[in-house]
Amino acid sequence: MKIGTAVVLMTLILQLLAAQSTVPGYLLQRDFELASPGAFGVGLYGYDNPAVLNYLHQSDIMFTWMDTTGKVLRLENWGLFIGLPKFGFAVMRQENALGSVLDCRITTAFGGRKTGFGLGYGWSSGDTEMFNRTSVLALGSLYRPSKYISFGLTGLFALSNGNHEGTAELAIRPLGNELITLFGDYNAQEGIAIEEGFWSAGLVIEPLPGIRITGRYMDDKSFNAGMNLSLGRGGLTYQGHFNEDVEPVHSVYRIRSGAYDRSFLNSVFTKKKNYLKMDLNGPLQYQRYRLFDKAKTLKEVLINIEAAKNDPAIAGIAINSSGMQINGEMLWELRDKLSDFRSSGKHVIIYVDNADFAEYYFVSVADKIVMDPIGMLDLRGLMMGRTFMKGTLEKLGIGFDEWRFFKYKSAVEVFSRDQMSDADREQRQEIIDDIYNIIRTEVAQSRNITQNRFDSLVNSAMFFTARTAFENGLVDTLGRWDAVEEIVKDLEGGKKSFVNADKLDYYNLPSDARWGEKPKIAIIYGLGVCAMDEGITARQLVKDVEAVTKDGSIKAVVFRVDSPGGDALASDIVSEAIKECTKEKPVLVSQGLVAGSGGYWLSMYGDKIVAAPVTITGSIGVIGGWMYDRGLKDKLGVTTDKVQAGEHADLGFGAVLPFIGAIVPDRNLTEDERVNVEAEIKGMYREFVQMVADGRGKTYDQIESVAQGRVWSGVDGYDMGLIDTLGGLDLALALAKDLAGISEKSDIEIVEYPKRKMLSPDIFKPKLISLDARTKKTFDLIRFYLDHNGKPIPMMPIEYVDMAIE
């Protein structure tokens, strides 16, 4: 046995010396690799191909060693690999009867998932002359044009004597995932004929998550067989090397710790071990600033709920709703998503202290509602009201002429009336009734009470202390947020750990399961009043839509509209850009809280329009009005004077209104001027209706019958054919994937437009003089109306502007 071992050892030494190179490259790496660098995980953490570091998602460390004597723990030939995203460091030790050497290499990578590059620098110490070592430069690239193929190139260049080697590798995944990977590589070295280069070929199979079985056949007819077992944040590997007679030559062992890896063990040992903790305090926005902004966004919260649903370690979600500032449409979306989460058999616990009608609707989705002992529920119902300023304008000396030619177009009647018109009252009442019915139906179902019982609670009690809310079955238990863990323990029959979203599998799994770039879907936001350089900022928004249209990597678009309308030009140039985009890729429109008038104009060319049942939509119509001086200048002691050329040149001339910075014209329109304006408004209306008909694939009369400026809830909008599907942003993304031919289970990359701004301008405003958001919107709106004084505008009433979330 000893003689046989000695013969094998001597043979290995002779082979090493015969193939000795000044660059510790392919042949050395091949003994420690399970497969070609691009075919298995991140290879040797950049030592073999620096470009693979583009795929390392978290810090990791691996130790590997080779046993040639049958003594597993005898560390003669070993490697230590430390990897960080984009950076790697490695030390490999070789020992034989003639000496030992340490080869060190530091590497870095740059690029993306489709095309990546890397470089490294290596040096050696120890018996470098015996092993003929010198410093080396390593260059690598990895090209993955799709999820099916990976192509890599690596070059090692000796810096002192010109000896070099290069390796090309190809890996193929027939199924487009990690289940089966076929690979092959070819290595050419200085001084060796190209046709006499070294090569290998093999496969990697992953029958269960984290169990990888490898096989590799070499040019000298030897082969490797190995198995890797992922333990989540660690892993174990064994690989045996056999000669052409299937005799064992050496074994390689690995241990790894650090980066999270998929593992079937996670679903066994961590199944429903944790609860996702969510704090909804504060506003819920569409986008946040890059710096100094910790606000939550709708997209991220929806993604977190879906990720928790699919995570085997998550048993439920515990939500702290204290202090949340979320509009009714977003609350509907979150509730709908949590309801879907519960359908998977997992639980939702919500803590509430004070809640109004809409907020209670949201928390009622929970399996258990925990209410603060000093909390209060305000269940007075729903109301829509308006503030009328006709008398105010009269006292200020400002006249107003309402140009209203369509029954329900009530946007500016607050300036001309002292109460609602019958038409406005009708449409508002129907919206309120629709939303109330939605809330009543779903709360009654969630709390297991009748709808009549719900009506009775709303109409008789109105306000509920924590005790009376509990006694009436509106909440399940009383307690503070810090008591929720014990309540979860009782519900689940055992203690659960509370974790933040960053602990979910979704944010930790490695990216090697899918090669290349993920399919991209763009979310484009059209938020606020329709204007060229404010609100939706149409001038820039058109550029964003055009960029997305031309970007071949973006497979579909979700256009999120939360706008009450405004300037027809701003609405039209954006809608035309969306229309052109639909010729290149699917465009799904997702309507937020408000998407009427000019907001519906933005929406009309989408392939499909998705809106929540509580969305306020429609308002297909045009209105205008004229503010003018009726004593304001006298009250302010201001005079104006002019010269003119042209009969109507003075129309619009007047004094500048202090603080607002807009002009109040000196006079009203003449009768002839008003006739011309009426013709323009009616003409624009006909064009608007026809464009909607074209976009929706309907006739003019079909759209006209639901137009006239009529505002609809999402429910009625769906019944009237203005909406295709009831749902939120999450459903719009799913439909976009389907129309783009992306499979339901495929992960996607979401890119957002407009690009996020760096800083909020509000952080530079002194607190004593800065305006709160509501006050600022009011001033901005008055200025907007004055800036558009006398212009036909497709716009909804003032309060809908305040409701539109920016």
Side-chain angles (χ1 to χ4, degrees):
M1 180 66 70
K2 291 184 179 179
I3 295 176
T5 300
V7 171
V8 171
L9 181 60
M10 184 59 69
T11 301
L12 286 171
I13 293 173
L14 290 174
Q15 288 176 341
L16 283 171
L17 291 175
Q20 195 65 56
S21 169
T22 58
V23 289
Y26 177 80
L27 294 177
L28 172 62
Q29 297 160 10
R30 196 167 70 173
D31 283 334
F32 288 91
E33 292 172 331
L34 293 174
S36 301
F40 185 94
V42 289
L44 297 180
Y45 297 75
Y47 188 90
D48 40 8
N49 183 345
V52 299
L53 290 170
N54 283 306
Y55 274 75
L56 182 60
H57 66 300
Q58 293 173 346
S59 302
D60 203 29
I61 183 170
M62 180 183 74
F63 183 75
T64 180
W65 70 97
M66 180 188 297
D67 168 35
T68 60
T69 64
K71 298 180 180 180
V72 175
L73 297 180
R74 185 174 180 179
L75 303 180
E76 295 178 345
N77 300 292
W78 52 264
L80 175 66
F81 303 90
I82 300 172
L84 304 169
K86 305 286 188 179
F87 293 95
F89 175 74
V91 179
M92 294 197 72
R93 183 181 187 273
Q94 276 187 284
E95 179 180 336
N96 58 35
L98 304 178
S100 65
V101 66
L102 285 177
D103 296 312
C104 303
R105 194 170 299 170
I106 185 169
T107 51
T108 186
F110 48 94
R113 294 174 54 88
K114 180 179 180 180
T115 305
F117 302 93
L119 59 89
Y121 173 76
W123 66 95
S124 302
S125 63
D127 299 316
T128 55
E129 292 186 4
M130 177 61 67
F131 283 82
N132 196 23
R133 288 292 198 263
T134 183
S135 299
V136 297
L137 175 67
L139 299 176
S141 65
L142 198 64
Y143 179 56
R144 290 174 169 173
S146 74
K147 61 183 179 180
Y148 299 102
I149 189 168
S150 174
F151 179 69
L153 290 174
T154 308
L156 286 176
F157 305 92
L159 299 181
S160 62
N161 55 22
N163 285 345
H164 315 306
E165 69 171 65
T167 304
E169 54 167 303
L170 176 67
I172 296 173
R173 286 180 167 175
L175 304 178
N177 56 35
E178 73 279 11
L179 294 180
I180 301 176
T181 304
L182 307 174
F183 67 89
D185 51 51
Y186 192 87
N187 172 264
Q189 298 187 7
E190 186 83 14
I192 299 177
I194 188 70
E195 65 273 12
E196 296 178 3
F198 305 97
W199 59 267
S200 73
L203 81 163
V204 180
I205 60 174
E206 190 169 343
L208 291 173
I211 295 181
R212 292 109 180 183
I213 301 169
T214 65
R216 190 177 193 180
Y217 183 80
M218 264 70 75
D219 52 88
D220 60 2
K221 299 183 181 180
S222 65
F223 66 93
N224 294 338
M227 181 175 178
N228 168 259
L229 174 63
S230 169
L231 305 176
R233 291 209 173 268
L236 302 172
T237 301
Y238 169 78
Q239 178 175 252
H241 183 79
F242 304 86
N243 62 23
E244 61 179 309
D245 296 322
V246 199
E247 297 172 336
V249 177
H250 63 252
S251 299
V252 173
Y253 303 88
R254 284 186 182 185
I255 55 175
R256 182 195 67 80
S257 178
Y260 189 77
D261 189 12
R262 57 185 175 273
S263 173
F264 80 97
L265 297 174
N266 292 338
S267 61
V268 176
F269 294 105
T270 64
K271 187 173 183 180
K272 295 190 174 180
K273 176 183 176 182
N274 302 324
Y275 254 62
L276 174 63
K277 178 174 61 177
M278 297 179 65
D279 186 352
L280 294 182
N281 177 262
L284 187 63
Q285 301 175 174
Y286 285 120
Q287 291 181 293
R288 58 171 168 261
Y289 295 95
R290 295 181 183 274
L291 299 177
F292 309 117
D293 188 355
K294 296 182 179 180
K296 294 166 285 293
T297 68
L298 176 64
K299 179 196 66 144
E300 289 173 345
V301 174
L302 292 174
I303 287 175
N304 289 344
I305 296 172
E306 180 68 18
K309 173 186 170 183
N310 297 325
D311 194 322
I314 296 297
I317 299 176
I319 298 174
N320 187 346
S321 69
S322 178
M324 65 181 182
Q325 303 167 31
I326 305 176
N327 72 52
E329 192 279 335
M330 287 186 177
L331 286 174
W332 181 89
E333 290 201 48
L334 296 186
R335 191 185 195 281
D336 186 62
K337 193 65 181 175
L338 288 170
S339 180
D340 175 68
F341 175 86
R342 288 185 60 201
S343 70
S344 68
K346 299 184 178 185
H347 295 136
V348 175
I349 312 295
I350 301 182
Y351 165 80
V352 61
D353 47 18
N354 298 299
D356 63 19
F357 198 75
E359 290 164 344
Y360 179 72
Y361 165 65
F362 165 71
V363 303
S364 69
V365 74
D367 293 278
K368 295 286 183 182
I369 301 175
V370 182
M371 186 171 181
D372 193 279
I374 312 299
M376 179 73 71
L377 294 183
D378 176 359
L379 302 186
R380 286 175 291 172
L382 298 174
M383 183 272 296
M384 292 177 71
R386 307 189 72 177
T387 299
F388 293 87
M389 292 180 276
K390 176 182 178 182
T392 304
L393 295 181
E394 289 175 352
K395 290 180 181 295
L396 291 173
I398 298 176
F400 183 75
D401 184 14
E402 181 184 14
W403 302 339
R404 178 174 178 175
F405 308 107
F406 309 104
K407 181 178 180 181
Y408 295 100
K409 198 64 180 174
S410 60
V412 296
E413 69 176 34
V414 292
F415 300 126
S416 62
R417 301 177 61 91
D418 53 19
Q419 61 181 7
M420 290 183 194
S421 63
D422 291 341
D424 194 35
R425 188 179 302 278
E426 174 192 344
Q427 63 183 349
R428 287 170 181 271
Q429 187 63 58
E430 187 161 340
I431 289 173
I432 284 293
D433 290 343
D434 285 346
I435 297 175
Y436 181 88
N437 288 336
I438 291 166
I439 293 176
R440 176 176 57 183
T441 300
E442 296 188 14
V443 170
Q445 181 178 4
S446 295
R447 300 305 301 170
N448 196 27
I449 60 175
T450 66
Q451 294 187 25
N452 288 338
R453 171 63 175 159
F454 179 81
D455 288 339
S456 176
L457 292 171
V458 172
N459 295 325
S460 60
M462 299 181 297
F463 299 103
F464 298 85
T465 64
R467 179 58 54 188
T468 56
F470 175 73
E471 291 170 351
N472 283 280
L474 294 172
V475 300
D476 297 290
T477 188
L478 304 184
R480 296 241 152 100
W481 172 246
D482 56 13
V484 170
E485 288 194 36
E486 284 300 315
I487 295 169
V488 167
K489 181 179 178 181
D490 293 339
L491 175 65
E492 299 289 350
K495 184 176 177 60
K496 302 295 180 182
S497 298
F498 278 36
V499 299
N500 293 321
D502 61 357
K503 302 300 182 184
L504 295 171
D505 275 1
Y506 178 84
Y507 295 105
N508 289 279
L509 286 173
S511 56
D512 69 310
R514 189 193 192 285
W515 287 346
E517 294 180 342
K518 300 176 185 178
K520 292 180 182 178
I521 292 181
I523 299 179
I524 302 175
Y525 296 105
L527 311 177
V529 67
C530 290
M532 295 301 291
D533 298 303
E534 59 183 315
I536 68 170
T537 58
R539 204 182 307 276
Q540 178 59 46
L541 189 57
V542 166
K543 296 178 182 178
D544 291 334
V545 175
E546 290 173 345
V548 168
T549 303
K550 295 174 183 177
D551 190 337
S553 69
I554 295 175
K555 306 305 179 184
V557 176
V558 171
F559 184 29
R560 178 71 172 198
V561 177
D562 212 330
S563 171
D567 183 358
L569 174 61
S571 301
D572 193 58
I573 64 170
V574 174
S575 68
E576 284 296 321
I578 291 293
K579 185 178 182 180
E580 290 301 309
C581 190
T582 61
K583 297 176 182 178
E584 300 296 329
K585 57 197 67 177
V587 177
L588 275 294
V589 173
S590 169
Q591 295 185 338
L593 180 61
V594 179
S597 202
Y600 194 87
W601 196 319
L602 295 174
S603 309
M604 62 190 179
Y605 290 131
D607 291 299
K608 289 185 181 295
I609 299 177
V610 180
V614 297
T615 294
I616 298 173
T617 189
S619 191
I620 301 168
V622 183
I623 199 166
W626 185 257
M627 288 185 179
Y628 60 96
D629 179 34
R630 289 188 65 183
L632 175 65
K633 289 193 301 183
D634 292 340
K635 294 177 184 290
L636 297 177
V638 175
T639 60
T640 58
D641 201 357
K642 64 183 185 299
V643 295
Q644 69 185 80
E647 184 176 343
H648 308 289
D650 65 326
L651 187 60
F653 172 76
V656 176
L657 188 64
F659 305 111
I660 302 298
I663 296 174
V664 179
D666 281 349
R667 69 175 179 87
N668 196 1
L669 276 67
T670 65
E671 185 176 340
D672 288 343
E673 289 169 337
R674 201 176 191 282
V675 168
N676 289 335
V677 167
E678 179 178 348
E680 290 297 322
I681 290 176
K682 291 181 176 179
M684 181 181 290
Y685 173 77
R686 288 191 294 271
E687 292 178 4
F688 190 1
V689 171
Q690 187 60 59
M691 287 189 293
V692 173
D694 294 341
R696 301 295 298 155
K698 297 181 179 296
T699 66
Y700 181 94
D701 289 341
Q702 285 176 314
I703 299 301
E704 160 65 16
S705 67
V706 296
Q708 290 286 320
R710 179 71 184 258
V711 180
W712 304 98
S713 68
V715 173
D716 285 342
Y718 174 74
D719 292 338
M720 300 298 170
L722 297 176
I723 305 299
D724 295 296
T725 306
L726 292 175
L729 182 63
D730 197 55
L731 177 61
L733 285 167
L735 292 174
K737 286 176 66 174
D738 181 60
L739 290 180
I742 302 171
S743 68
E744 181 181 354
K745 294 183 178 180
S746 291
D747 197 11
I748 60 172
E749 179 183 349
I750 295 175
V751 292
E752 296 180 289
Y753 294 85
K755 294 297 184 183
R756 291 189 295 149
K757 297 177 181 178
M758 193 63 66
L759 290 168
S760 169
D762 291 339
I763 68 173
F764 300 108
K765 293 180 180 178
K767 294 297 182 182
L768 291 176
I769 64 172
S770 62
L771 299 175
D772 64 83
R774 186 179 296 273
T775 304
K776 182 177 183 299
K777 284 182 181 179
T778 301
F779 275 100
D780 288 346
L781 185 65
I782 293 173
R783 189 182 71 249
F784 179 86
Y785 271 122
L786 285 169
D787 287 344
H788 292 77
N789 202 18
K791 297 179 182 178
I793 52 174
M795 191 167 183
M796 298 172 72
I798 286 177
E799 58 271 23
Y800 294 124
V801 179
D802 187 55
M803 294 167 71
I805 303 301
E806 297 183 11

